[in-house]
Amino acid sequence: MALMTLEEKIGQMTLFTTDWGSTGPTIREGYEEDIRKGNCGALFNSHTVAFTRHLQEIAVKESRLHIPLIFGYDVIHGYKTIFPVPLAESCSWDLAAMENTAAIAAKEAAAAGLHWTFAPMVDISREPRWGRVMEGGGEDTYLGSLIAEARVKGFQGANFDHADRVMACIKHFAGYGAPIAGRDYNTVDMTERTFRDIYLPTYIAGVKAGAMTIMTSFNELDGVPSSGNKWLLEDVLRKENGFHGFIVTDYTSINEMVNHGYSKDDAQAGEQAANAGVDMDMQGAVYQRFLKNSVEAGRVPMQKIDDAVRRILTAKFELGLFKDPYRFCNVQREKETVFSAAHQQAAKDMAHKSIVLLKNENNLLPLTNKKTIALIGPLAADGSQLIGPWSGAGEGDKCVSMLTAFQERAKKGEFTLLHANGTDISGTDKKGFGEALEKAKQSDVIIAVVGESKEMSGEAAARADLGLPGVQQALVEELVATGKPVVVVLMNGRPLVIPWIAEHANAIVETWWTGTQGGPAIADILFGDYNPSAKLTMTFPRSMGQIPIFYNQKNTGRPYDPNSKWNTRYLDEPNTPQYPFGYGLSYTTFAYDSLVITIQQKASASTPRPPSKGEEFSVTDTVHASIKITNTGKRAGEEIVQLYVRDLVGSVTRPVKELKGFKKIKLEPGASQTVVFNITADQLRFYSADMTFKAEPGDFWIMVGPDSERLQKKQIRLVE
Ligand code: BGC
């Protein structure tokens, strides 16, 4: 650093994108010169060994100080092998599996010359209109925090010794998942308590798991845009939570502080960002253009620049780039690793775990003894949709569609397959209905594959109507009217509002976007080669008017009573969701015995307490909530057993339930297992009236069950 000029330091704080044209990678005019002059220290969207090596050579051979570049990319749910979208993966509740897919994504990315992924997105969201819920881990803070940790570990691994992992980037800090009315980039406004209780913990979980970088968000929080929010970046993130890595902005979010009305021009925005603790400017070129002047004029202390550069160079050292700038550039490894057969299998395994069975009237599924199957709908044949949004270097035409998977099975003579699109995803064209209905009528069962196009979720993809787009529902209605059994297979990136389908389809399978191996994985579920085990991590509303709807709401002074008027309710809709958080079916059934609570006193407690009265416990005790689960069906299956807690009286009001634990168990038919949850006072902490984070003595309900609604409860008391 002592050798560096101020311009070179600011260069390290500058991140630019490259592009990818139809003939391959391209770079904008002037950027190569920027690299040569040391005015750009990192690039994103540059990938493949050949391209990154070319750019790295410019930095290392031609710049004055030979400082290597970092290459970043949005490897959100896979690099070339595409896994289910993160919301889908979260429905597996399988942390090890999520860590594994992140590790594979990292291995492919690192083999393709990358050092850094802009993931995981850990924004908690209760807002299905917001298109980016597909990138996150759902609506719950506790589960979301564990997922954040698992994915950071997966991406980063223990170290970079083998150059086969990438730096993680927790995003978008902070509160990006709570835009007013669900519109992307919109204002976020909440109390500090809600922020700390609900939205902040997932980011901090990622930080504690060792994430080396974090990305600011586009939104403002309490009137201050994140990229200029000193409280958020310096106080909360660095001082309170000990974040040591570097902070990058989101795409041109420093510049956007002018539109926010927080900065009078780019130059001031850059000063505000630098003074707030932003280390790296993504694509805005604000630092590059103005920061030198701001430092020289004394409006940004040199110390801020040095701190930022030290953090960025530290990351480059940790990646091993100063030892060998080309250690991520091995063509042979790239060939062997990217899109390998083993990774295809992993993608299929994860897809199995991510698919949620929402309805299965009269055990219509799995499909057995069906002679003729009609596969209908605009998403059955179009495999390219399966990769979903933010699919890295994934190629749609490498995805195996449902139609292909069904054709493979039909070839074996198991059944006769009829197929028709029926209609497009959007639009009003019903010309294909006739053919679809004709085929449907000849079949024993109709599979209707409907949903969103991948462009309808993701960034800048908010929707005001979450019904099926186009005339897809009309198609399903006509299919149902044939009287044949109808299985609706949904592909989409968010909870949809589908009350008619929920009532009239005989079976519903939520597949989200299942990635490269989506088609075969869905077929495995439908034919019973895999018994579905996933459960929803976002609530499905009955109607748009219910949004935001989420499971951990407050009781209010007039709790919901559908039979009287003067309480918190709608006149025209129940408060209950279509499908609650934590819900999902299996091809087998599970019986829950009675919940048993026991208290274990801390063995080493210095002053032994008199034996408790059963339901009382102190801050040093552990409460065991145990419950025996039996597989009462005919197939082996997995169950996600969930633990919720309610704090009945607080110095501030508390939600009616909060997830505090879960266990995923596998049981053979007839087999039982007792699941035990350990609860200590630590898990009951929240931001109390004086904003201290603590558990308050008093009564709690401990609730256990298969989803957030079907719960058994027992009351316990925390004593001082
Ligand atoms: C998105 C980020 C992403 C970045 C770089 C932005 O528009 O909000 O999530 O990492 O672009 O591609």
Side-chain angles (χ1 to χ4, degrees):
M1 278 181 59
L3 301 175
M4 295 173 84
T5 64
L6 178 55
E7 285 99 324
E8 283 165 333
K9 288 181 180 172
I10 293 168
Q12 290 303 308
M13 299 167 72
T14 296
L15 169 66
F16 284 142
T17 183
T18 62
D19 304 290
W20 205 272
S22 51
T23 52
T26 57
I27 185 158
R28 295 177 199 181
E29 211 186 315
Y31 285 3
E32 290 198 359
E33 199 47 30
D34 280 328
I35 301 171
R36 230 167 251 126
K37 286 195 187 136
N39 288 342
C40 166
L43 288 169
F44 68 113
N45 290 332
S46 332
H47 54 104
T48 69
V49 166
F51 190 42
T52 55
R53 178 183 280 274
H54 162 70
L55 298 168
Q56 192 69 297
E57 279 176 357
I58 299 177
V60 173
K61 294 185 181 156
E62 300 181 39
S63 74
R64 189 179 76 94
L65 292 173
H66 319 292
I67 301 175
L69 296 164
I70 295 179
F71 295 105
Y73 195 38
D74 290 275
V75 181
I76 307 297
H77 52 114
Y79 172 72
K80 186 78 80 180
T81 300
I82 302 300
F83 296 99
V85 293
L87 180 63
E89 287 198 357
S90 75
C91 294
S92 72
W93 301 54
D94 188 332
L95 301 169
M98 285 181 258
E99 181 174 335
N100 183 45
T101 60
I104 292 173
K107 278 182 189 156
E108 288 199 1
L114 290 160
H115 311 130
W116 186 21
T117 177
F118 300 141
M121 184 194 103
V122 303
D123 301 317
I124 289 298
S125 187
R126 299 164 158 185
E127 204 14 290
R129 288 172 293 187
W130 190 51
R132 301 195 78 166
V133 298
M134 54 71 48
E135 274 176 80
E139 72 188 40
D140 181 63
T141 309
Y142 170 79
L143 178 59
S145 299
L146 294 171
I147 293 173
E149 182 187 346
R151 302 195 75 215
V152 166
K153 286 187 180 156
F155 286 131
Q156 290 191 175
N159 54 49
F160 299 103
D161 286 358
H162 304 291
D164 64 349
R165 300 297 175 112
V166 293
M167 298 193 292
C169 183
I170 293 291
K171 72 187 189 186
H172 307 82
F173 195 66
Y176 184 43
I180 292 174
R183 287 201 312 277
D184 210 355
Y185 319 121
N186 202 7
T187 307
V188 172
D189 195 10
M190 63 176 79
T191 63
E192 186 179 340
R193 174 171 290 105
T194 300
F195 177 65
R196 286 185 180 275
D197 272 341
I198 308 291
Y199 291 89
L200 180 61
T202 48
Y203 306 103
I204 302 310
V207 166
K208 302 281 177 205
M212 289 166 70
T213 74
I214 196 160
M215 186 186 292
T216 62
S217 55
F218 287 124
N219 57 283
E220 65 165 70
L221 190 64
D222 198 13
V224 183
S226 300
S227 297
N229 198 324
K230 196 162 193 267
W231 173 77
L232 205 51
L233 305 182
E234 300 237 301
D235 298 347
V236 176
L237 185 59
R238 292 201 187 281
K239 291 199 190 112
E240 270 178 39
N241 289 290
F243 177 66
H244 298 303
F246 71 81
I247 300 174
V248 63
T249 67
D250 204 345
Y251 203 107
T252 64
S253 69
I254 300 181
N255 319 52
E256 291 169 25
M257 296 205 292
V258 176
N259 280 343
H260 274 287
Y262 188 67
S263 319
K264 67 176 189 301
D265 52 24
D266 282 1
Q268 191 195 14
E271 286 162 18
Q272 289 167 314
N275 285 327
V278 168
D279 302 311
M280 192 183 274
D281 170 7
M282 184 196 284
Q283 199 53 32
V286 173
Y287 283 0
Q288 189 189 52
R289 287 178 290 145
F290 303 107
L291 204 50
K292 179 168 181 253
N293 193 24
S294 302
V295 173
E296 286 170 352
R299 289 191 295 273
V300 174
M302 193 60 201
Q303 190 60 46
K304 283 278 176 203
I305 308 294
D306 284 343
D307 288 347
V309 175
R310 187 173 298 108
R311 291 178 191 126
I312 293 162
L313 294 183
T314 301
K316 294 186 178 188
F317 272 103
E318 283 182 30
L319 285 161
L321 296 177
F322 280 99
K323 258 195 227 137
D324 176 5
Y326 309 108
R327 59 196 299 266
F328 290 75
C329 294
N330 176 332
V331 180
Q332 188 56 31
R333 184 161 67 114
E334 182 179 37
K335 246 193 234 149
E336 286 164 9
T337 311
V338 173
F339 212 70
S340 72
H343 294 177
Q344 300 321 296
Q345 185 57 48
K348 191 168 159 186
D349 291 346
M350 193 70 222
H352 285 149
K353 291 172 190 271
S354 305
I355 295 170
V356 191
L357 178 63
L358 295 176
K359 183 175 181 184
N360 194 16
E361 214 170 66
N362 302 324
N363 295 322
L364 173 60
L365 294 174
L367 301 170
T368 40
N369 305 323
K370 299 286 187 281
K371 289 200 190 75
T372 307
I373 295 176
L375 188 62
I376 310 290
L379 283 153
D382 186 358
S384 70
Q385 291 292 332
L386 291 167
I387 57 174
W390 284 120
S391 42
E395 292 164 77
D397 56 10
K398 289 205 171 141
C399 293
V400 188
S401 71
M402 268 185 79
L403 178 62
T404 306
F406 270 62
Q407 281 166 341
E408 288 299 311
R409 285 173 180 262
K411 262 192 231 154
K412 292 182 204 147
E414 289 169 22
F415 56 88
T416 304
L417 179 65
L418 305 174
H419 165 254
N421 287 337
T423 184
D424 299 329
I425 296 171
S426 38
T428 51
D429 191 356
K430 293 187 175 178
K431 282 202 281 296
F433 277 31
E435 185 201 354
L437 288 168
E438 212 34 61
K439 293 192 168 157
K441 281 178 198 154
Q442 295 167 38
S443 72
D444 299 312
V445 62
I446 302 164
I447 319 277
V449 191
V450 292
E452 299 180 305
S453 75
K454 62 184 166 55
E455 291 73 27
M456 291 176 184
S457 276
E459 187 178 352
R463 292 179 63 209
D465 178 353
L466 300 183
L468 288 175
V471 290
Q472 293 182 89
Q473 172 152 331
L475 175 64
V476 178
E477 287 177 16
E478 295 203 20
L479 294 171
V480 168
T482 62
K484 304 276 180 184
V486 175
V487 178
V488 169
V489 171
L490 296 169
M491 294 186 185
N492 47 278
R494 50 155 70 82
L496 296 176
V497 176
I498 45 161
W500 192 92
I501 287 177
E503 190 179 340
H504 295 97
N506 304 93
I508 305 173
V509 186
E510 175 57 84
T511 69
W512 314 105
W513 284 301
T514 31
T516 320
Q517 287 295 318
I522 297 168
D524 287 347
I525 298 262
L526 296 181
F527 289 99
D529 298 334
Y530 187 90
N531 186 358
S533 58
K535 298 206 181 197
L536 297 177
T537 57
M538 269 192 98
T539 306
F540 271 51
R542 289 175 190 277
S543 65
M544 293 305 298
Q546 288 185 319
I547 297 171
I549 181 169
F550 47 91
Y551 85 92
N552 46 351
Q553 53 186 314
K554 300 285 186 77
N555 204 39
T556 82
R558 294 190 178 193
Y560 179 48
D561 175 357
N563 302 314
S564 85
K565 181 174 164 73
W566 307 102
N567 65 79
T568 180
R569 54 168 299 197
Y570 303 102
L571 292 176
D572 52 355
E573 186 78 89
N575 284 14
T576 51
Q578 189 76 62
Y579 301 112
F581 175 85
Y583 171 83
L585 303 172
S586 162
Y587 293 150
T588 189
T589 46
F590 299 98
Y592 282 62
D593 275 14
S594 298
L595 173 63
V596 177
I597 302 284
T598 54
I599 313 280
Q600 187 194 329
Q601 290 183 24
K602 192 181 171 200
S604 61
S606 47
T607 31
R609 262 187 331 110
S612 77
K613 279 181 250 142
E615 85 281 4
E616 283 191 359
F617 70 109
S618 80
V619 285
T620 53
D621 296 339
T622 304
V623 177
H624 302 299
S626 44
I627 193 156
K628 188 172 152 199
I629 323 277
T630 305
N631 182 344
T632 48
K634 293 195 181 68
R635 301 176 57 113
E638 286 173 286
E639 170 70 331
I640 301 167
V641 185
Q642 299 160 41
L643 166 78
Y644 296 83
V645 163
R646 175 171 178 182
D647 188 338
L648 293 177
V649 180
S651 64
V652 290
T653 61
R654 303 296 302 145
V656 291
K657 59 193 84 158
E658 291 176 282
L659 184 72
K660 291 290 178 185
F662 61 89
K663 296 237 160 89
K664 191 168 181 175
I665 56 168
K666 184 162 190 176
L667 290 175
E668 294 301 318
S672 302
Q673 186 178 328
T674 298
V675 167
V676 183
F677 294 104
N678 298 328
I679 306 147
T680 62
D682 269 2
Q683 286 154 269
L684 307 175
R685 289 180 295 173
F686 62 96
Y687 284 91
S688 57
D690 61 3
M691 287 308 275
T692 54
F693 187 61
K694 62 172 186 247
E696 295 180 355
D699 291 332
F700 293 83
W701 284 348
I702 301 295
M703 295 169 275
V704 177
D707 60 52
S708 64
E709 285 194 346
R710 285 176 297 158
L711 296 168
Q712 297 184 42
K713 67 168 193 256
K714 284 266 155 73
Q715 190 162 324
I716 57 172
R717 173 173 297 171
L718 176 63
V719 293
E720 305 255 13

